Amino acid sequence: MLRIEDYAPIVGQATIYELFRLARQLEGKAIQNINSTAVGGGVAEILSRMMPLLKQLGLNARWDVIKGNEKFYAVTKKFHNGLHGVPVEVSREEYDWFLEINRQNAEEFDFADIVFVHDPQPIALIEKRASIGRNWVWRCHIDSSQPNKAIWRFLERYITMYDAAVFSAPAFEARLPIRQVLISPSIDPLSDKNKDLPEDVVNATFERYGIDRSRPVVTQISRFDFLKDPLGVIKAYKMAKRSMDMQLVLAGGGATDDPEGPMIMEQVKAEADKDKDIFVLFLPPSSDLEINALQRGSTIVLQKSLREGFGLTVSEALWKGKPVIAGAVGGIPLQIRHQYSGILTHSIEGTAQWIKRLLSEPEFAAKLGSNGREHIRNNFLITRHIKDYLLLFLSLFYADDIVHFS
Ligand code: UDP
């Protein structure tokens, strides 16, 4: 098992001491994370890495997943898309079903001293708060800069019952009467998904999928979600391919709380079937080493999202020193300064142009990758994330003192 001290060579010993000192201040406080899926997507990814480290810091921390069903996830996917600004219609009956499932879950939970609720799916658990009065924080991982108004109005009723709301990027902050905190997500540099890999493991992965590493490989790894624009990626690849040789890898799986995945994947496959240089790979959960190898062995990594909460896949690729071309949306511009630590694009045509330019200027591409890696080291590793959370939790208990001394 990884020890928190193993992170010292990457982030410095002082950072590790600091985490232990902060954690000591939270002795005796139980911390409970609640979300809606144990696997798939960025939230599960972060929680699965963070929980063992919080425990090693001596914290009484746990992670619970709400139980839903197909109908519930169909509604919450509408909330997800609606927060991202996509037009959606939610009926009265669907809102009621959403609340009913939240109430059923609330009955089963034993809430801790700090209840840290992730994203809209479990948001209405807060209704239970009145009877038990704990510290509740809502963590929004979604790009909520231009939300669908009806969805936002519905969720706002619940958000405002929390003590604080956490957003991933400044652009997502909303006009709310509660405290708002900016905390960006992070990656774990020592996880199977991000640790260093021997070259032969990378080669073996590419061979297994029949991808030729002697030719350029452009890769996007994402859930099959239309907001990740996989069809736009295929169009950009086709445009670029008119003048340069390359292969395209679109790899991803689903999340248990995302019912749209299979349909999008079928559309992608139908497009890809016409071209033997496009590889559509369905990744089951626990494909971390494959994802690591695919990112490491690619010439360019794409994340052509149309909306994005943060985009952990961008951090993952930058950490591996890869040149990344990504949509200038959501939390991605926090990670990429255009032409310094990667490339930000706004269109299919722009993406195609930049693919060609980076393939023909490998030194420039390598510089983007190495700048990107340092940016991730300084800002988006898990130790910084834990520190921000501990400070937030402490502030819940000492908020009066903060007001008093300021
Ligand atoms: N991921 C994965 N398997 C997949 C697709 C994605 O493990 O098939 C991971 C990916 O490596 C990243 C996370 O899931 O760690 C996705 O996070 P991101 O913020 O990029 O997007 P989200 O899915 O949360 O919208």
Side-chain angles (χ1 to χ4, degrees):
M1 194 179 83
L2 279 172
R3 293 170 321 129
I4 188 119
E5 286 79 8
D6 296 336
Y7 294 77
I10 301 173
V11 296
Q13 188 62 48
T15 300
I16 309 300
Y17 286 143
E18 197 175 31
L19 291 181
F20 275 108
R21 290 179 72 155
L22 285 172
R24 217 175 303 140
Q25 309 297 315
L26 284 160
E27 221 172 274
K29 306 284 185 213
I31 301 162
Q32 177 182 29
N33 286 279
I34 305 178
N35 81 324
S36 64
T37 179
V39 284
V43 182
E45 172 74 20
I46 292 168
L47 287 174
S48 65
R49 300 309 307 171
M50 201 177 266
M51 295 314 295
L53 297 179
L54 294 178
K55 286 180 186 153
Q56 282 185 43
L57 288 169
L59 291 159
N60 175 0
R62 65 179 196 264
W63 172 16
D64 290 314
V65 177
I66 55 163
K67 293 193 199 93
N69 56 19
E70 214 178 303
K71 189 168 154 193
F72 175 75
Y73 296 131
V75 181
T76 58
K77 186 68 203 244
K78 285 190 184 179
F79 287 1
H80 180 93
N81 289 339
L83 275 184
H84 274 304
V86 177
V88 287
E89 293 283 337
V90 180
S91 67
R92 186 67 261 163
E93 197 237 335
E94 288 177 312
Y95 282 124
D96 288 345
W97 184 249
F98 169 79
L99 292 175
E100 173 58 25
I101 296 288
N102 267 261
R103 283 170 194 149
Q104 285 174 16
N105 277 279
E107 286 306 317
E108 287 181 24
F109 280 131
D110 192 11
F111 292 115
D113 301 301
I114 298 166
V115 187
F116 200 26
V117 173
H118 298 262
D119 280 342
Q121 299 91 333
I123 197 170
L125 294 176
I126 185 87
E127 282 187 324
K128 260 291 234 176
R129 177 197 181 123
S131 53
I132 42 179
R134 305 289 187 174
N135 285 289
W136 288 67
V137 180
W138 184 61
R139 204 304 179 217
C140 182
H141 293 269
I142 299 171
D143 176 349
S144 53
S145 49
Q146 297 160 306
N148 172 302
K149 284 200 175 63
I151 302 288
W152 181 257
R153 263 198 307 275
F154 175 79
L155 294 175
E156 198 177 17
R157 247 182 284 160
Y158 300 94
I159 299 170
T160 52
M161 292 165 79
Y162 284 77
D163 295 299
V166 181
F167 294 90
S168 295
F172 308 161
E173 292 194 39
R175 220 176 278 163
L176 289 169
I178 59 167
R179 194 151 71 93
Q180 293 183 67
V181 182
L182 171 67
I183 299 180
S184 300
S186 63
I187 59 161
D188 182 344
L190 298 180
S191 66
D192 280 351
K193 193 172 280 173
N194 297 309
K195 68 185 184 187
D196 288 344
L197 283 185
E199 200 55 18
D200 55 338
V201 174
V202 176
N203 284 333
T205 306
F206 277 71
E207 272 166 31
R208 201 165 52 249
Y209 290 119
I211 309 162
D212 179 1
R213 276 198 78 191
S214 68
R215 294 166 55 211
V217 181
V218 178
T219 298
Q220 174 159 303
I221 296 190
S222 274
R223 286 179 298 104
F224 286 94
D225 180 327
F226 80 97
L227 291 177
K228 310 285 184 187
D229 202 15
L231 296 173
V233 167
I234 294 179
K235 284 193 185 127
Y237 151 85
K238 284 182 176 163
M239 275 181 196
K241 184 137 190 191
R242 279 185 217 137
S243 45
M244 291 181 92
D245 178 46
M246 71 194 76
Q247 300 156 94
L248 174 68
V249 178
L250 281 165
T256 52
D257 61 350
D258 178 4
E260 290 175 349
M263 184 190 75
I264 306 290
M265 179 145 178
E266 283 315 308
Q267 293 175 3
V268 169
K269 270 203 197 131
E271 273 305 305
D273 275 351
K274 303 168 201 158
D275 184 333
K276 66 177 175 25
D277 279 337
I278 304 182
F279 298 83
V280 180
L281 313 180
F282 182 78
L283 301 175
S286 71
S287 299
D288 290 0
L289 284 170
E290 275 87 355
I291 291 176
N292 189 341
L294 288 170
Q295 287 166 332
R296 277 182 199 281
S298 297
T299 322
I300 293 174
V301 172
L302 298 182
Q303 189 56 58
K304 213 204 123 339
S305 302
L306 303 172
R307 293 273 193 282
E308 191 58 80
F310 181 71
L312 285 179
T313 48
V314 173
S315 308
E316 289 162 5
L318 291 176
W319 179 244
K320 293 164 185 111
K322 289 290 141 182
V324 176
I325 302 174
V329 292
I332 290 176
L334 293 179
Q335 304 181 64
I336 292 182
R337 181 140 66 83
H338 186 51
Q339 299 204 51
Y340 175 78
S341 53
I343 298 296
L344 294 174
T345 53
H346 302 83
S347 65
I348 290 171
E349 292 75 14
T351 305
Q353 286 302 329
W354 278 109
I355 292 174
K356 288 194 288 185
R357 168 115 184 251
L358 296 193
L359 289 182
S360 52
E361 292 183 38
E363 277 175 22
F364 175 50
K367 187 73 191 146
L368 296 177
S370 63
N371 288 344
R373 179 174 164 92
E374 285 319 298
H375 185 57
I376 299 302
R377 185 199 305 278
N378 293 329
N379 298 286
F380 301 116
L381 296 186
I382 194 164
T383 40
R384 187 276 310 152
H385 199 176
I386 292 176
K387 178 179 161 186
D388 284 352
Y389 278 174
L390 298 185
L391 286 169
L392 166 67
F393 298 155
L394 280 168
S395 76
L396 295 172
F397 295 101
Y398 299 111
D400 290 346
D401 298 354
I402 293 168
V403 173
H404 180 75
F405 289 116
S406 62

